Amino acid sequence: MTGAVRPDRRRVLTAGAAVLGAAASAQLWLPATAHAAEAKLPDGVFSLGVASGDPLPDGIVLWTRLAPDPLNGGGMPDRTVAVEWQVARDARFKKVVRRGVAPARRAYGHSVHVDVRGLRPDTAYWFRFRAGGQLSRVGRTRTAPAPHSSGGRLKVALASCQNWQHGYFTPYADMLRQDPDVVVFVGDYIYESTPSATGVRRHEGTGEPYSLTQYRNRYAQYRSDPDLAEMHANAPFVVTFDDHEVDNDFAGQIPQDPDKQAHDPFVARLTAAYQAYYEHMPVRATAVPNGPHIRMHRRLDFGRLARLNVLDTRQYRSDQATTQEGAQDPTLTMLGAAQKRWLVDGLRHSPARWNLIASQVMMAETDLQVGEGKLWYYDAWDGYQAERNSLLQEFRRVSNPVVLTGDRHLTMISDLKADFADPRSAVVGAEFVGTSISSNGDQDQAAFRAQWDPRRADNPHWKLLDAHRGYHLFDIRRDGIDARVRVVDTVLRPRATPRTLAALRVEAGRPGVHLA
Protein backbone atom coordinates (compact mmCIF):
# COMPACT_ATOMS: atom_id res chain seq x y z
CA MET A 1 0.00 0.00 0.00
CA THR A 2 1.95 2.90 -1.31
CA GLY A 3 0.27 5.64 0.69
CA ALA A 4 0.43 8.00 -2.27
CA VAL A 5 -2.86 9.17 -3.76
CA ARG A 6 -3.70 6.53 -6.33
CA PRO A 7 -5.58 7.90 -9.35
CA ASP A 8 -7.98 4.94 -9.50
CA ARG A 9 -8.87 5.38 -5.82
CA ARG A 10 -9.23 9.15 -6.01
CA ARG A 11 -11.67 8.85 -8.90
CA VAL A 12 -14.36 7.41 -6.66
CA LEU A 13 -13.89 10.11 -4.05
CA THR A 14 -14.38 12.88 -6.59
CA ALA A 15 -17.17 11.13 -8.46
CA GLY A 16 -19.29 10.78 -5.33
CA ALA A 17 -20.37 7.73 -3.41
CA ALA A 18 -23.86 7.16 -4.76
CA VAL A 19 -24.68 4.27 -7.07
CA LEU A 20 -22.96 4.96 -10.37
CA GLY A 21 -25.39 5.20 -13.25
CA ALA A 22 -23.00 3.49 -15.59
CA ALA A 23 -22.53 0.67 -13.12
CA ALA A 24 -26.27 0.25 -12.80
CA SER A 25 -26.56 -0.28 -16.53
CA ALA A 26 -23.78 -2.86 -16.76
CA GLN A 27 -25.21 -6.27 -17.59
CA LEU A 28 -22.65 -8.45 -15.88
CA TRP A 29 -24.73 -10.41 -13.38
CA LEU A 30 -24.90 -14.18 -13.38
CA PRO A 31 -27.75 -15.24 -15.68
CA ALA A 32 -28.24 -18.51 -13.78
CA THR A 33 -29.13 -16.65 -10.60
CA ALA A 34 -31.10 -13.80 -12.05
CA HIS A 35 -34.48 -15.32 -11.17
CA ALA A 36 -33.48 -15.63 -7.51
CA ALA A 37 -32.11 -12.11 -7.30
CA GLU A 38 -35.22 -10.64 -8.96
CA ALA A 39 -37.68 -12.06 -6.40
CA LYS A 40 -39.86 -9.19 -5.19
CA LEU A 41 -38.57 -7.37 -2.11
CA PRO A 42 -39.63 -4.13 -0.39
CA ASP A 43 -37.99 -0.98 -1.70
CA GLY A 44 -34.80 0.27 -0.10
CA VAL A 45 -33.24 -3.06 0.86
CA PHE A 46 -29.73 -1.54 0.78
CA SER A 47 -30.51 1.28 3.21
CA LEU A 48 -27.55 0.38 5.45
CA GLY A 49 -24.99 0.68 2.68
CA VAL A 50 -21.96 -1.51 2.04
CA ALA A 51 -18.65 -2.14 3.76
CA SER A 52 -15.48 -4.23 3.56
CA GLY A 53 -12.98 -5.45 6.10
CA ASP A 54 -10.08 -7.61 7.27
CA PRO A 55 -7.93 -7.35 4.12
CA LEU A 56 -5.68 -10.26 3.16
CA PRO A 57 -3.13 -10.34 0.31
CA ASP A 58 -5.61 -12.33 -1.79
CA GLY A 59 -8.93 -11.54 -0.16
CA ILE A 60 -11.37 -9.22 1.53
CA VAL A 61 -14.70 -9.48 3.38
CA LEU A 62 -17.60 -7.70 1.69
CA TRP A 63 -20.64 -6.74 3.78
CA THR A 64 -24.18 -5.51 3.45
CA ARG A 65 -27.47 -6.09 5.27
CA LEU A 66 -30.87 -6.05 3.64
CA ALA A 67 -33.07 -3.74 5.72
CA PRO A 68 -35.85 -1.76 4.03
CA ASP A 69 -37.20 -0.76 7.48
CA PRO A 70 -33.93 -0.53 9.41
CA LEU A 71 -35.19 0.95 12.70
CA ASN A 72 -37.98 -1.58 13.07
CA GLY A 73 -36.22 -4.91 12.91
CA GLY A 74 -35.24 -4.63 9.25
CA GLY A 75 -38.55 -5.17 7.49
CA MET A 76 -37.48 -8.17 5.41
CA PRO A 77 -39.66 -11.17 4.44
CA ASP A 78 -39.33 -14.26 6.62
CA ARG A 79 -37.11 -16.20 4.19
CA THR A 80 -33.57 -16.52 2.89
CA VAL A 81 -32.80 -14.15 0.02
CA ALA A 82 -30.17 -14.74 -2.66
CA VAL A 83 -27.89 -11.71 -3.01
CA GLU A 84 -25.59 -11.38 -5.98
CA TRP A 85 -22.24 -9.71 -5.61
CA GLN A 86 -19.49 -8.53 -7.94
CA VAL A 87 -15.89 -7.37 -7.54
CA ALA A 88 -14.25 -5.35 -10.30
CA ARG A 89 -10.96 -3.64 -11.05
CA ASP A 90 -12.77 -0.48 -12.10
CA ALA A 91 -15.60 1.66 -10.74
CA ARG A 92 -17.76 1.07 -13.81
CA PHE A 93 -17.53 -2.72 -13.56
CA LYS A 94 -16.10 -3.19 -17.04
CA LYS A 95 -13.49 -5.57 -15.57
CA VAL A 96 -15.36 -7.87 -13.20
CA VAL A 97 -12.91 -10.33 -11.61
CA ARG A 98 -15.09 -12.14 -9.07
CA ARG A 99 -18.83 -12.71 -8.77
CA GLY A 100 -21.22 -14.99 -6.98
CA VAL A 101 -24.35 -15.39 -4.88
CA ALA A 102 -24.55 -15.22 -1.09
CA PRO A 103 -27.52 -16.04 1.15
CA ALA A 104 -29.04 -13.33 3.31
CA ARG A 105 -30.56 -15.42 6.09
CA ARG A 106 -33.31 -14.33 8.45
CA ALA A 107 -31.42 -15.88 11.38
CA TYR A 108 -28.61 -13.35 10.86
CA GLY A 109 -30.79 -10.32 10.19
CA HIS A 110 -30.43 -10.78 6.41
CA SER A 111 -26.81 -9.69 6.67
CA VAL A 112 -24.34 -10.77 4.00
CA HIS A 113 -20.67 -11.56 4.58
CA VAL A 114 -18.75 -12.55 1.44
CA ASP A 115 -15.18 -13.76 2.01
CA VAL A 116 -13.77 -13.12 -1.46
CA ARG A 117 -10.50 -14.83 -2.36
CA GLY A 118 -8.29 -15.05 -5.45
CA LEU A 119 -7.59 -11.32 -5.62
CA ARG A 120 -4.29 -9.57 -6.30
CA PRO A 121 -2.21 -8.20 -3.41
CA ASP A 122 -2.08 -4.46 -2.72
CA THR A 123 -4.78 -3.73 -5.27
CA ALA A 124 -7.84 -1.47 -5.30
CA TYR A 125 -11.18 -3.11 -6.09
CA TRP A 126 -14.79 -1.98 -6.41
CA PHE A 127 -17.77 -4.06 -5.33
CA ARG A 128 -21.57 -4.03 -5.29
CA PHE A 129 -24.59 -6.19 -4.49
CA ARG A 130 -27.97 -6.85 -6.09
CA ALA A 131 -31.15 -8.33 -4.61
CA GLY A 132 -34.75 -8.26 -5.73
CA GLY A 133 -33.85 -6.18 -8.76
CA GLN A 134 -32.31 -3.50 -6.56
CA LEU A 135 -28.69 -2.44 -6.81
CA SER A 136 -26.54 -1.37 -3.87
CA ARG A 137 -24.25 1.58 -3.96
CA VAL A 138 -20.70 0.89 -5.14
CA GLY A 139 -18.01 0.27 -2.54
CA ARG A 140 -14.27 0.49 -2.85
CA THR A 141 -11.69 -1.56 -0.97
CA ARG A 142 -8.10 -2.72 -1.08
CA THR A 143 -6.21 -5.95 -0.44
CA ALA A 144 -3.13 -6.24 1.78
CA PRO A 145 0.40 -6.37 0.32
CA ALA A 146 1.99 -9.66 -0.69
CA PRO A 147 3.24 -11.75 2.26
CA HIS A 148 6.95 -11.28 1.58
CA SER A 149 6.88 -7.65 0.46
CA SER A 150 8.99 -5.53 2.78
CA GLY A 151 8.91 -2.01 1.35
CA GLY A 152 6.24 0.51 0.58
CA ARG A 153 4.03 2.28 3.08
CA LEU A 154 0.77 1.73 4.88
CA LYS A 155 -1.72 4.46 5.76
CA VAL A 156 -3.81 3.59 8.81
CA ALA A 157 -6.60 5.57 10.48
CA LEU A 158 -7.43 4.89 14.14
CA ALA A 159 -10.99 5.54 15.33
CA SER A 160 -13.17 4.74 18.34
CA CYS A 161 -16.04 5.87 20.54
CA GLN A 162 -18.86 7.27 18.41
CA ASN A 163 -21.80 8.24 20.60
CA TRP A 164 -24.82 9.12 18.45
CA GLN A 165 -26.33 11.35 21.11
CA HIS A 166 -23.15 13.34 21.72
CA GLY A 167 -22.68 14.54 18.17
CA TYR A 168 -22.41 13.94 14.46
CA PHE A 169 -19.64 11.72 13.14
CA THR A 170 -17.94 14.64 11.37
CA PRO A 171 -14.33 13.37 11.71
CA TYR A 172 -15.10 10.69 9.11
CA ALA A 173 -15.59 13.34 6.43
CA ASP A 174 -11.98 14.41 6.90
CA MET A 175 -10.80 10.81 7.20
CA LEU A 176 -12.37 10.09 3.81
CA ARG A 177 -10.36 12.92 2.25
CA GLN A 178 -7.15 11.53 3.77
CA ASP A 179 -7.79 8.23 1.93
CA PRO A 180 -6.40 5.65 4.39
CA ASP A 181 -5.59 2.12 3.26
CA VAL A 182 -7.36 0.68 6.29
CA VAL A 183 -9.38 1.95 9.27
CA VAL A 184 -8.75 0.33 12.66
CA PHE A 185 -11.80 0.77 14.91
CA VAL A 186 -11.08 -0.22 18.50
CA GLY A 187 -14.45 -0.11 20.20
CA ASP A 188 -17.67 1.62 21.20
CA TYR A 189 -19.16 1.50 17.72
CA ILE A 190 -22.59 1.98 19.31
CA TYR A 191 -23.69 3.10 22.76
CA GLU A 192 -26.28 1.15 24.68
CA SER A 193 -27.51 4.18 26.64
CA THR A 194 -31.18 5.18 26.79
CA PRO A 195 -32.57 7.95 24.56
CA SER A 196 -31.78 11.42 25.87
CA ALA A 197 -33.97 14.47 25.36
CA THR A 198 -30.90 16.71 25.63
CA GLY A 199 -28.67 14.90 23.14
CA VAL A 200 -27.53 16.41 19.87
CA ARG A 201 -29.29 13.43 18.28
CA ARG A 202 -31.65 11.05 20.03
CA HIS A 203 -31.19 7.30 20.29
CA GLU A 204 -33.98 5.22 18.77
CA GLY A 205 -36.21 3.11 20.99
CA THR A 206 -37.39 3.72 24.52
CA GLY A 207 -34.53 2.38 26.64
CA GLU A 208 -31.31 0.38 26.57
CA PRO A 209 -31.15 -2.53 24.10
CA TYR A 210 -31.44 -6.01 25.58
CA SER A 211 -32.96 -8.13 22.82
CA LEU A 212 -31.55 -8.98 19.40
CA THR A 213 -34.09 -6.78 17.63
CA GLN A 214 -33.26 -3.85 19.89
CA TYR A 215 -29.52 -4.18 19.22
CA ARG A 216 -30.21 -4.49 15.48
CA ASN A 217 -32.20 -1.27 15.56
CA ARG A 218 -29.43 0.55 17.42
CA TYR A 219 -26.78 -0.57 14.91
CA ALA A 220 -29.04 0.38 12.03
CA GLN A 221 -29.41 3.88 13.43
CA TYR A 222 -25.64 4.31 13.73
CA ARG A 223 -25.13 2.95 10.21
CA SER A 224 -27.41 5.71 8.92
CA ASP A 225 -24.87 8.42 9.75
CA PRO A 226 -23.79 9.66 6.29
CA ASP A 227 -20.12 10.24 7.12
CA LEU A 228 -19.73 6.79 8.67
CA ALA A 229 -21.50 5.22 5.68
CA GLU A 230 -19.15 7.00 3.26
CA MET A 231 -16.08 5.82 5.13
CA HIS A 232 -17.29 2.23 5.22
CA ALA A 233 -17.89 2.37 1.47
CA ASN A 234 -14.40 3.67 0.67
CA ALA A 235 -11.91 1.75 2.83
CA PRO A 236 -11.71 -1.61 4.61
CA PHE A 237 -12.27 -1.60 8.37
CA VAL A 238 -10.62 -3.82 10.98
CA VAL A 239 -12.90 -3.77 14.01
CA THR A 240 -13.10 -4.96 17.58
CA PHE A 241 -15.59 -4.14 20.34
CA ASP A 242 -15.28 -2.59 23.77
CA ASP A 243 -17.95 -2.31 26.46
CA HIS A 244 -20.70 -0.12 25.03
CA GLU A 245 -21.52 -2.60 22.30
CA VAL A 246 -22.98 -4.60 25.21
CA ASP A 247 -23.07 -2.89 28.61
CA ASN A 248 -20.85 -0.24 30.19
CA ASP A 249 -17.76 -1.68 31.94
CA PHE A 250 -18.87 -5.30 31.66
CA ALA A 251 -16.21 -7.98 32.27
CA GLY A 252 -16.63 -11.45 30.79
CA GLN A 253 -20.15 -12.48 31.80
CA ILE A 254 -20.35 -9.98 34.65
CA PRO A 255 -22.43 -6.83 34.01
CA GLN A 256 -21.62 -3.40 35.37
CA ASP A 257 -24.50 -3.71 37.84
CA PRO A 258 -24.94 -7.38 38.85
CA ASP A 259 -27.43 -6.35 41.50
CA LYS A 260 -29.73 -5.19 38.68
CA GLN A 261 -28.84 -7.72 35.96
CA ALA A 262 -28.93 -11.36 37.05
CA HIS A 263 -26.54 -13.81 35.41
CA ASP A 264 -28.94 -15.62 33.06
CA PRO A 265 -30.59 -12.47 31.67
CA PHE A 266 -27.16 -10.91 31.17
CA VAL A 267 -25.93 -13.98 29.27
CA ALA A 268 -29.00 -13.60 27.05
CA ARG A 269 -28.07 -9.94 26.55
CA LEU A 270 -24.50 -10.88 25.63
CA THR A 271 -25.83 -13.41 23.13
CA ALA A 272 -28.02 -10.80 21.46
CA ALA A 273 -25.32 -8.12 21.48
CA TYR A 274 -22.62 -10.36 19.98
CA GLN A 275 -24.92 -11.58 17.22
CA ALA A 276 -25.97 -8.04 16.31
CA TYR A 277 -22.31 -7.02 16.30
CA TYR A 278 -21.42 -9.81 13.88
CA GLU A 279 -24.42 -8.99 11.69
CA HIS A 280 -23.26 -5.39 11.23
CA MET A 281 -19.48 -5.80 10.87
CA PRO A 282 -17.35 -6.84 7.86
CA VAL A 283 -15.74 -9.82 9.58
CA ARG A 284 -15.11 -13.44 8.59
CA ALA A 285 -17.04 -16.54 9.56
CA THR A 286 -14.56 -17.13 12.39
CA ALA A 287 -16.51 -14.40 14.21
CA VAL A 288 -19.93 -16.08 13.95
CA PRO A 289 -21.05 -16.12 17.61
CA ASN A 290 -21.70 -19.26 19.58
CA GLY A 291 -24.26 -18.04 22.08
CA PRO A 292 -22.53 -15.63 24.52
CA HIS A 293 -19.12 -16.24 22.89
CA ILE A 294 -17.53 -14.59 19.87
CA ARG A 295 -13.98 -14.88 18.51
CA MET A 296 -12.67 -11.40 17.77
CA HIS A 297 -8.92 -11.57 18.51
CA ARG A 298 -7.11 -12.15 15.25
CA ARG A 299 -3.99 -11.23 13.35
CA LEU A 300 -3.58 -9.44 10.01
CA ASP A 301 -0.26 -9.04 8.18
CA PHE A 302 0.55 -6.23 5.77
CA GLY A 303 3.54 -7.78 4.07
CA ARG A 304 6.61 -7.67 6.26
CA LEU A 305 6.03 -4.02 6.96
CA ALA A 306 3.41 -4.38 9.69
CA ARG A 307 1.57 -7.02 11.69
CA LEU A 308 -1.70 -6.02 13.36
CA ASN A 309 -2.76 -8.00 16.45
CA VAL A 310 -6.40 -7.26 17.26
CA LEU A 311 -7.28 -7.89 20.92
CA ASP A 312 -10.47 -8.64 22.80
CA THR A 313 -10.08 -7.04 26.22
CA ARG A 314 -13.67 -7.61 27.37
CA GLN A 315 -14.76 -11.19 26.89
CA TYR A 316 -12.05 -13.01 28.83
CA ARG A 317 -11.14 -10.52 31.54
CA SER A 318 -11.51 -10.91 35.29
CA ASP A 319 -13.92 -8.57 37.02
CA GLN A 320 -12.42 -5.16 37.68
CA ALA A 321 -10.51 -4.50 40.85
CA THR A 322 -11.80 -1.87 43.27
CA THR A 323 -8.57 -1.07 45.16
CA GLN A 324 -4.88 -0.47 44.52
CA GLU A 325 -4.06 -3.76 46.17
CA GLY A 326 -6.65 -5.59 44.11
CA ALA A 327 -5.26 -4.16 40.85
CA GLN A 328 -1.91 -5.81 41.65
CA ASP A 329 -3.43 -9.25 42.17
CA PRO A 330 -1.37 -11.58 39.91
CA THR A 331 -4.39 -13.80 39.26
CA LEU A 332 -6.31 -11.04 37.45
CA THR A 333 -6.32 -11.28 33.67
CA MET A 334 -7.33 -8.89 30.91
CA LEU A 335 -6.82 -11.28 28.01
CA GLY A 336 -7.37 -14.75 29.43
CA ALA A 337 -4.64 -17.37 29.27
CA ALA A 338 -5.33 -18.57 25.72
CA GLN A 339 -5.47 -15.10 24.16
CA LYS A 340 -2.34 -14.01 26.00
CA ARG A 341 -0.42 -17.05 24.69
CA TRP A 342 -1.72 -16.29 21.19
CA LEU A 343 -0.56 -12.66 21.43
CA VAL A 344 2.88 -13.43 22.85
CA ASP A 345 3.45 -16.14 20.26
CA GLY A 346 2.46 -13.78 17.46
CA LEU A 347 4.82 -11.10 18.73
CA ARG A 348 7.77 -13.43 19.33
CA HIS A 349 7.57 -15.00 15.87
CA SER A 350 6.54 -11.95 13.89
CA PRO A 351 8.43 -11.32 10.63
CA ALA A 352 7.17 -7.73 10.53
CA ARG A 353 9.13 -4.54 10.93
CA TRP A 354 6.28 -2.99 12.97
CA ASN A 355 4.13 -4.89 15.45
CA LEU A 356 0.86 -3.09 16.04
CA ILE A 357 -1.53 -4.05 18.83
CA ALA A 358 -5.15 -2.89 18.72
CA SER A 359 -6.14 -2.69 22.40
CA GLN A 360 -9.51 -1.28 23.36
CA VAL A 361 -8.31 0.12 26.69
CA MET A 362 -5.24 2.14 27.64
CA MET A 363 -2.04 0.25 28.37
CA ALA A 364 0.18 3.10 29.64
CA GLU A 365 -0.24 4.14 33.24
CA THR A 366 -2.70 6.86 34.18
CA ASP A 367 -1.87 8.09 37.67
CA LEU A 368 -4.82 10.25 38.71
CA GLN A 369 -3.31 11.15 42.08
CA VAL A 370 -1.49 14.50 42.06
CA GLY A 371 1.63 14.18 44.17
CA GLU A 372 2.49 11.20 46.35
CA GLY A 373 0.72 7.89 45.84
CA LYS A 374 -1.10 6.35 42.92
CA LEU A 375 -4.72 6.27 41.80
CA TRP A 376 -5.64 4.24 38.71
CA TYR A 377 -8.51 3.58 36.34
CA TYR A 378 -9.32 -0.02 37.20
CA ASP A 379 -11.21 -0.68 33.94
CA ALA A 380 -8.03 -0.10 31.88
CA TRP A 381 -4.74 -2.06 31.91
CA ASP A 382 -3.82 -0.24 35.15
CA GLY A 383 -6.37 -2.47 36.85
CA TYR A 384 -4.50 -5.58 35.67
CA GLN A 385 -0.98 -4.64 36.70
CA ALA A 386 0.70 -8.04 36.72
CA GLU A 387 -0.46 -9.10 33.27
CA ARG A 388 0.25 -5.63 31.82
CA ASN A 389 3.76 -5.60 33.24
CA SER A 390 4.57 -9.10 31.96
CA LEU A 391 3.39 -8.07 28.50
CA LEU A 392 5.56 -4.94 28.60
CA GLN A 393 8.55 -7.11 29.46
CA GLU A 394 7.79 -9.09 26.29
CA PHE A 395 7.97 -5.85 24.33
CA ARG A 396 11.72 -5.73 25.02
CA ARG A 397 12.12 -8.62 22.53
CA VAL A 398 9.61 -7.36 19.95
CA SER A 399 10.44 -5.39 16.82
CA ASN A 400 8.94 -1.90 17.14
CA PRO A 401 5.77 -2.50 19.20
CA VAL A 402 3.10 0.21 18.89
CA VAL A 403 -0.26 0.02 20.70
CA LEU A 404 -3.38 1.59 19.14
CA THR A 405 -6.11 2.29 21.68
CA GLY A 406 -9.49 3.95 22.20
CA ASP A 407 -11.89 4.21 25.17
CA ARG A 408 -10.67 7.44 26.82
CA HIS A 409 -12.40 10.03 24.61
CA LEU A 410 -9.06 11.82 24.77
CA THR A 411 -5.85 11.89 22.79
CA MET A 412 -3.27 10.40 25.16
CA ILE A 413 0.01 9.55 23.48
CA SER A 414 2.66 7.91 25.65
CA ASP A 415 5.90 6.05 25.91
CA LEU A 416 5.41 2.53 27.22
CA LYS A 417 7.73 1.70 30.12
CA ALA A 418 8.93 -1.73 31.18
CA ASP A 419 7.89 -0.83 34.74
CA PHE A 420 5.86 2.29 35.45
CA ALA A 421 6.69 2.01 39.15
CA ASP A 422 10.33 2.79 38.30
CA PRO A 423 10.89 6.20 36.65
CA ARG A 424 14.27 4.94 35.37
CA SER A 425 12.67 1.98 33.63
CA ALA A 426 13.41 1.48 29.94
CA VAL A 427 11.04 2.66 27.24
CA VAL A 428 9.82 -0.44 25.38
CA GLY A 429 7.19 0.90 22.98
CA ALA A 430 4.69 3.62 22.13
CA GLU A 431 0.95 3.95 22.60
CA PHE A 432 -1.52 6.14 20.73
CA VAL A 433 -4.83 6.50 22.56
CA GLY A 434 -7.10 7.96 19.91
CA THR A 435 -9.65 10.55 20.84
CA SER A 436 -13.32 9.84 20.19
CA ILE A 437 -15.25 10.37 16.99
CA SER A 438 -18.06 12.09 18.92
CA SER A 439 -18.24 10.86 22.53
CA ASN A 440 -18.13 13.72 25.07
CA GLY A 441 -19.19 16.14 22.33
CA ASP A 442 -17.46 19.52 22.08
CA GLN A 443 -15.53 19.40 25.31
CA ASP A 444 -14.73 22.44 27.45
CA GLN A 445 -11.02 22.75 26.77
CA ALA A 446 -10.27 25.07 29.69
CA ALA A 447 -11.99 22.72 32.14
CA PHE A 448 -10.09 19.79 30.64
CA ARG A 449 -6.75 21.55 31.13
CA ALA A 450 -7.60 22.49 34.69
CA GLN A 451 -8.39 18.84 35.46
CA TRP A 452 -5.54 17.11 33.63
CA ASP A 453 -2.53 19.42 33.45
CA PRO A 454 -1.78 19.08 37.19
CA ARG A 455 -1.39 15.30 36.65
CA ARG A 456 1.28 15.55 33.97
CA ALA A 457 4.17 15.73 36.44
CA ASP A 458 3.05 12.36 37.85
CA ASN A 459 2.86 10.87 34.35
CA PRO A 460 6.11 11.89 32.63
CA HIS A 461 5.59 9.21 29.96
CA TRP A 462 2.67 11.20 28.49
CA LYS A 463 3.81 13.01 25.36
CA LEU A 464 0.53 14.60 24.26
CA LEU A 465 -2.81 15.15 25.97
CA ASP A 466 -5.84 16.72 24.27
CA ALA A 467 -9.66 16.66 24.38
CA HIS A 468 -10.76 17.57 20.85
CA ARG A 469 -12.82 15.11 18.80
CA GLY A 470 -11.21 13.39 15.83
CA TYR A 471 -8.96 10.46 14.95
CA HIS A 472 -5.30 9.55 14.41
CA LEU A 473 -3.64 8.98 11.04
CA PHE A 474 -0.45 6.93 10.62
CA ASP A 475 1.91 6.83 7.66
CA ILE A 476 3.91 3.65 8.27
CA ARG A 477 7.22 3.05 6.48
CA ARG A 478 10.20 0.88 7.29
CA ASP A 479 12.19 3.72 8.83
CA GLY A 480 9.41 5.11 10.99
CA ILE A 481 5.80 6.01 11.63
CA ASP A 482 4.63 9.56 11.06
CA ALA A 483 1.46 10.18 13.03
CA ARG A 484 -0.97 13.05 12.82
CA VAL A 485 -3.70 13.88 15.30
CA ARG A 486 -6.59 15.12 13.18
CA VAL A 487 -9.32 17.02 15.02
CA VAL A 488 -12.49 18.91 14.11
CA ASP A 489 -13.84 22.15 15.50
CA THR A 490 -17.27 20.70 16.29
CA VAL A 491 -19.42 17.58 16.30
CA LEU A 492 -22.55 19.50 17.24
CA ARG A 493 -23.30 20.28 13.58
CA PRO A 494 -23.24 18.01 10.51
CA ARG A 495 -20.26 19.87 9.03
CA ALA A 496 -16.95 20.69 10.66
CA THR A 497 -13.56 22.22 9.95
CA PRO A 498 -10.64 19.78 10.39
CA ARG A 499 -7.00 20.48 11.21
CA THR A 500 -3.84 18.72 12.31
CA LEU A 501 -3.47 19.28 16.04
CA ALA A 502 -0.04 17.65 16.30
CA ALA A 503 2.47 15.58 14.37
CA LEU A 504 4.51 12.83 16.03
CA ARG A 505 7.17 10.35 15.02
CA VAL A 506 8.16 6.84 16.05
CA GLU A 507 11.60 5.87 14.76
CA ALA A 508 12.28 2.25 13.87
CA GLY A 509 14.64 0.72 16.42
CA ARG A 510 14.08 3.55 18.93
CA PRO A 511 11.19 2.70 21.30
CA GLY A 512 8.95 5.57 22.23
CA VAL A 513 7.25 8.46 20.49
CA HIS A 514 8.44 12.02 19.84
CA LEU A 515 6.64 15.23 18.92
CA ALA A 516 7.72 16.14 15.40
Side-chain angles (χ1 to χ4, degrees), residues 9-74:
R9 301 189 77 194
R10 184 59 63 192
R11 190 186 309 130
V12 169
L13 293 178
T14 56
V19 173
L20 300 179
S25 64
Q27 301 299 313
L28 295 171
W29 300 100
L30 291 174
T33 62
H35 67 284
E38 300 297 339
K40 182 63 177 174
L41 293 174
D43 292 338
V45 293
F46 293 108
S47 65
L48 299 182
V50 300
S52 67
D54 282 11
L56 301 175
D58 69 336
I60 196 76
V61 177
L62 308 181
W63 174 92
T64 192
R65 180 185 166 216
L66 308 183
D69 192 4
L71 299 186
N72 293 288

Side-chain angles (χ1 to χ4, degrees), residues 360-371:
Q360 296 90 322
V361 293
M362 187 168 174
M363 189 170 288
E365 182 175 82
T366 300
D367 181 6
L368 299 170
Q369 180 68 48
V370 177

Side-chain angles (χ1 to χ4, degrees), residues 119-363:
L119 303 177
R120 296 178 181 177
D122 200 14
T123 300
Y125 289 97
W126 285 259
F127 64 96
R128 62 182 180 177
F129 300 91
R130 190 172 76 166
Q134 299 176 52
L135 196 65
S136 76
R137 64 168 296 162
V138 171
R140 183 198 61 177
T141 190
R142 192 170 190 89
T143 51
H148 298 293
S149 62
S150 58
R153 56 199 291 194
L154 179 68
K155 199 170 184 181
V156 176
L158 171 66
S160 65
C161 304
Q162 49 191 32
N163 191 318
W164 179 271
Q165 299 193 135
H166 289 183
Y168 297 91
F169 300 163
T170 56
Y172 284 119
D174 178 65
M175 186 188 293
L176 184 70
R177 288 188 289 268
Q178 301 300 321
D179 200 20
D181 295 310
V182 64
V183 179
V184 177
F185 193 95
V186 290
D188 294 345
Y189 190 96
I190 64 165
Y191 278 71
E192 86 293 8
S193 48
T194 59
S196 169
T198 60
V200 178
R201 301 187 286 186
R202 186 181 175 92
H203 273 152
E204 54 71 43
T206 58
E208 290 191 22
Y210 291 89
S211 71
L212 178 55
T213 297
Q214 288 173 321
Y215 276 108
R216 284 172 175 167
N217 292 345
R218 187 61 56 89
Y219 276 102
Q221 182 180 47
Y222 275 60
R223 281 281 191 170
S224 72
D225 181 273
D227 292 320
L228 175 60
E230 288 296 313
M231 200 62 242
H232 268 303
N234 280 283
F237 273 54
V238 176
V239 300
T240 188
F241 60 82
D242 195 19
D243 54 342
H244 288 290
E245 286 88 349
V246 181
D247 178 46
N248 183 51
D249 286 354
F250 83 95
Q253 295 188 5
I254 303 172
Q256 178 190 30
D257 49 2
D259 56 325
K260 296 179 181 179
Q261 297 187 75
H263 177 74
D264 288 351
F266 186 68
V267 168
R269 187 181 192 183
L270 278 174
T271 300
Y274 288 158
Q275 177 163 335
Y277 184 80
Y278 168 76
E279 291 174 353
H280 290 85
M281 295 298 136
V283 291
R284 290 192 162 81
T286 51
V288 173
N290 176 19
H293 307 286
I294 185 171
R295 170 68 183 256
M296 288 306 298
H297 61 281
R298 61 204 188 279
R299 187 173 295 123
L300 296 164
D301 287 334
F302 296 85
R304 293 197 170 179
L305 178 63
R307 165 168 284 186
L308 175 61
N309 301 277
V310 183
L311 301 186
D312 174 353
T313 60
R314 283 290 160 191
Q315 193 174 183
Y316 310 108
R317 67 158 69 187
S318 309
D319 197 10
Q320 291 90 341
T322 57
T323 65
Q324 299 289 107
E325 181 181 7
Q328 298 175 74
D329 182 346
T331 67
L332 293 188
T333 180
M334 176 75 81
L335 302 177
Q339 184 180 192
K340 185 182 178 183
R341 285 194 301 270
W342 166 87
L343 175 60
V344 170
D345 183 68
L347 293 172
R348 287 179 176 176
H349 299 99
S350 172
R353 179 77 161 180
W354 295 94
N355 285 281
L356 311 177
I357 299 172
S359 170
Q360 296 90 322
V361 293
M362 187 168 174
M363 189 170 288

Side-chain angles (χ1 to χ4, degrees), residues 371-392:
E372 293 295 321
K374 299 259 188 198
L375 179 61
W376 297 315
Y377 277 124
Y378 299 124
D379 188 58
W381 279 94
D382 277 341
Y384 302 78
Q385 293 270 320
E387 187 168 84
R388 190 268 306 276
N389 292 345
S390 70
L391 188 57
L392 291 176

Side-chain angles (χ1 to χ4, degrees), residues 174 466 468-469 471 485-489 497-502:
D174 178 65
D466 184 77
H468 288 87
R469 307 284 73 84
Y471 67 98
V485 178
R486 296 288 293 173
V487 299
V488 294
D489 63 339
T497 301
R499 64 185 173 94
T500 294
L501 175 82

